[in-house]
Amino acid sequence: MIAPRKIIRCLDEHWTVIEQLVERSASGNFSFQDVQHLILRHNNGMSSEQVFREAQRFLQLEILIPLAKSSQLELNRSVLEFAQQLMQEQQLGLATDIESRILELRRLSERMQEAAQSRDSSELRRFSRVMDERIREVLKHFGQNESAILSLVERAKADEGKLSLARRYAAVMDAFDDYIDPVLALVDINGPFQKTVSDVEAMLSELLQVIEVTGTLNTEKETLIQLRTRLIEMNQVGRESLSRCADLLMPLRDELRRNTLLSRNASFLLGQMRKKGIDLTLEPLVPAISSDSQRFSLGSANQITSYMAELCQYEHDAYQLPEEILSNHSMLMQVPELKDVVHKAKALKKLPDLSRWLADSYPELPVDELLFLYQELSRSDELTLQHSEHNTELTLNGYKLTLHPFQSSEAGTL
């Protein structure tokens, strides 16, 4: 087993080399000679033998690991993650990493509930520990992805004249499409993230309430409280981190789209100029009379003649006003009082269909007024009505209604 102190001492002595190797790891693997060149670059006083020994030291401490069936090398994954965490140079993860741990939380909560029902404190403690670890992993993913997006934005904003706008912003667009959009769908109110957090929080609260009432599993109460608190923190931290990431990427994405649209239109216009010429391309876009060129230049005789002819033949477009719609009928129409309608219906000895009776008694009323009267009569305490078993179709002022009408509950009385 390799002593941890030796690894830490080697990292401390050659930290500048480790930083360069972390950057190299983002683009691929490297050779043993590349490591020697980096050590020599940062340690000019070393001899070639000392440089070889130091590079061999990286291999002996397993800081560098050879690839399978190859002479190329790569950084140990643990060393790479440790260095990236210190350098804030994390690589952007995937939404599926978070989703898989959320689904694992749901499965573990079901197992925890079974352990609580059987009063198995050891299993309850074990599942609490595993769930706490999964929550910490989700929080770690949110933090690393936010740092990675911040690095992407800083690199995209850098003044690199040799790279095109699309090349510099390609990683930004990929980050938005591969991370922001899927995680937004994940943490949506109907998504698996929010649903799992709500269900697990409700399960933990119910379990704590049972412990308060019965006193069983009281030794695990503090652990469950901490687990619920960390779960709520994960929900809040995740939403805030996602909001900050979206705020960073959205302006850059909009800028790229605007510039792309501007470049596309400019390229199209230049292509038309090459095919047709400048005059034929720009002529439809220039006003006929108020162009800048004609304000300060004398027009030809033919132009002036045509302008004067157009002015002489100018006619104002006729506009036909709409005819007045007579509304005397609707203005003279009076809506009956509700109490009068109730009294009229009560006076009937038999009412087989309330809706049809209203339509026949008040044919001039609008549909909304008839429906209002129908609803009020059906709820009136002065009438004894019940729903008919058979539905009926009724046409009111062009509207077709299908309903189970109210009718008298007794044959002879209301």
Side-chain angles (χ1 to χ4, degrees):
M1 182 178 178
I2 303 174
R5 291 185 178 181
K6 292 183 179 180
I7 300 176
I8 295 175
R9 188 180 300 114
C10 181
L11 294 176
D12 180 46
E13 294 175 1
H14 298 285
W15 181 250
T16 52
V17 178
I18 296 297
E19 288 180 337
Q20 297 291 324
L21 292 177
V22 169
E23 295 181 2
R24 289 281 189 91
S25 299
S27 57
N29 47 42
F30 41 84
S31 64
F32 188 77
Q33 289 75 17
D34 295 335
V35 178
Q36 288 181 303
H37 291 325
L38 286 176
I39 295 175
L40 183 61
R41 182 190 303 173
H42 296 284
N43 300 276
N44 296 327
M46 283 189 178
S47 62
S48 58
E49 184 178 355
Q50 289 176 330
V51 170
F52 177 81
R53 262 200 320 268
E54 292 298 323
Q56 194 68 28
R57 182 182 171 193
F58 279 97
L59 289 173
Q60 292 173 354
L61 296 176
E62 295 184 0
I63 296 176
L64 299 179
I65 299 177
L67 296 176
K69 299 181 181 181
S70 175
S71 61
Q72 295 294 101
L73 304 174
E74 68 175 357
L75 269 175
N76 190 315
R77 184 58 56 180
S78 300
V79 175
L80 178 61
E81 292 179 358
F82 174 70
Q84 287 178 339
Q85 185 70 27
L86 295 178
M87 297 167 57
Q88 297 294 322
E89 290 289 340
Q90 291 89 352
Q91 298 295 322
L92 183 62
L94 299 175
T96 53
D97 298 334
I98 300 175
E99 185 176 6
S100 62
R101 284 161 177 79
I102 292 299
L103 297 177
E104 180 71 8
L105 274 179
R106 175 175 290 278
R107 188 187 67 84
L108 290 171
S109 65
E110 296 174 355
R111 300 290 300 275
M112 175 186 284
Q113 194 170 13
E114 294 175 0
Q117 291 174 356
S118 60
R119 298 183 180 180
D120 192 342
S121 60
S122 61
E123 285 292 293
L124 185 64
R125 191 180 307 111
R126 182 170 71 89
F127 289 128
S128 299
R129 185 172 61 254
V130 177
M131 288 180 67
D132 184 76
E133 185 65 27
R134 295 295 178 269
I135 293 174
R136 291 176 186 269
E137 290 176 359
V138 173
L139 289 171
K140 179 181 177 182
H141 274 287
F142 278 124
Q144 289 180 351
N145 291 336
E146 185 175 353
S147 299
I149 286 177
L150 182 60
S151 301
L152 288 175
V153 171
E154 290 177 352
R155 286 197 295 269
K157 289 182 177 180
D159 186 13
E160 300 178 8
K162 297 181 180 179
L163 295 179
S164 64
L165 185 69
R167 285 283 303 279
R168 288 195 288 120
Y169 283 2
V172 173
M173 297 298 292
D174 292 341
F176 202 96
D177 296 337
D178 298 339
Y179 178 73
I180 299 297
D181 283 342
V183 177
L184 280 174
L186 183 66
V187 303
D188 186 71
I189 190 170
N190 296 322
F193 184 91
Q194 184 62 39
K195 194 173 187 307
T196 299
V197 170
S198 301
D199 293 345
V200 175
E201 182 185 356
M203 185 272 296
L204 292 174
S205 300
E206 183 179 356
L207 186 56
L208 287 171
Q209 186 177 5
V210 171
I211 292 175
E212 287 284 347
V213 174
T214 61
T216 57
L217 303 173
N218 195 39
T219 55
E220 310 304 326
K221 179 180 177 181
E222 187 64 28
T223 304
L224 296 177
I225 292 176
Q226 292 296 325
L227 181 61
R228 185 179 63 177
T229 304
R230 200 177 300 278
L231 180 72
I232 298 174
E233 180 187 6
M234 179 194 71
N235 187 21
Q236 181 179 359
V237 169
R239 291 182 174 278
E240 292 177 354
S241 174
L242 184 62
S243 177
R244 288 193 294 268
C245 292
D247 291 342
L248 287 172
L249 293 177
M250 186 66 75
L252 299 180
R253 190 180 72 160
D254 293 341
E255 179 184 354
L256 178 60
R257 287 179 175 176
R258 287 195 303 269
N259 290 331
T260 304
L261 181 60
L262 180 62
S263 302
R264 189 185 303 120
N265 293 336
S267 300
F268 175 76
L269 186 59
L270 290 175
Q272 294 295 322
M273 288 181 180
R274 284 193 297 268
K275 293 178 181 179
K276 301 180 180 179
I278 298 178
D279 294 336
L280 293 178
T281 303
L282 298 181
E283 183 178 2
L285 305 177
V286 178
I289 296 178
S290 60
S291 63
D292 292 338
S293 60
Q294 292 181 354
R295 286 178 181 174
F296 305 101
S297 63
L298 184 62
S300 63
N302 293 333
Q303 287 179 326
I304 297 176
T305 304
S306 62
Y307 292 158
M308 296 300 294
E310 291 180 2
L311 291 175
C312 292
Q313 297 174 1
Y314 173 77
E315 292 183 3
H316 182 70
D317 292 337
Y319 180 75
Q320 182 65 35
L321 294 175
E323 296 181 358
E324 183 180 1
I325 300 176
L326 298 178
S327 57
N328 297 333
H329 179 72
S330 59
M331 294 177 60
L332 296 176
M333 181 185 62
Q334 295 183 356
V335 179
E337 295 290 339
L338 177 60
K339 58 182 181 179
D340 297 335
V341 179
V342 173
H343 181 72
K344 186 177 180 181
K346 190 176 180 181
L348 295 175
K349 295 183 179 181
K350 185 178 180 181
L351 187 61
D353 190 337
L354 178 61
S355 59
R356 195 170 298 279
W357 175 77
L358 284 173
D360 295 339
S361 301
Y362 306 99
E364 303 298 331
L365 279 181
V367 178
D368 53 349
E369 294 292 343
L370 283 174
L371 292 178
F372 171 75
L373 293 176
Y374 179 81
Q375 183 180 11
E376 293 298 326
L377 287 176
S378 63
R379 296 186 299 185
S380 177
D381 297 334
E382 301 182 18
L383 303 177
T384 306
L385 302 174
Q386 65 179 5
H387 269 298
S388 174
E389 297 180 357
H390 306 287
N391 61 349
T392 182
E393 292 186 356
L394 186 65
T395 302
L396 299 176
N397 297 335
Y399 294 92
K400 187 176 181 180
L401 305 177
T402 302
L403 45 81
H404 287 270
F406 283 95
Q407 63 183 4
S408 303
S409 58
E410 298 179 4
T413 63
L414 288 175

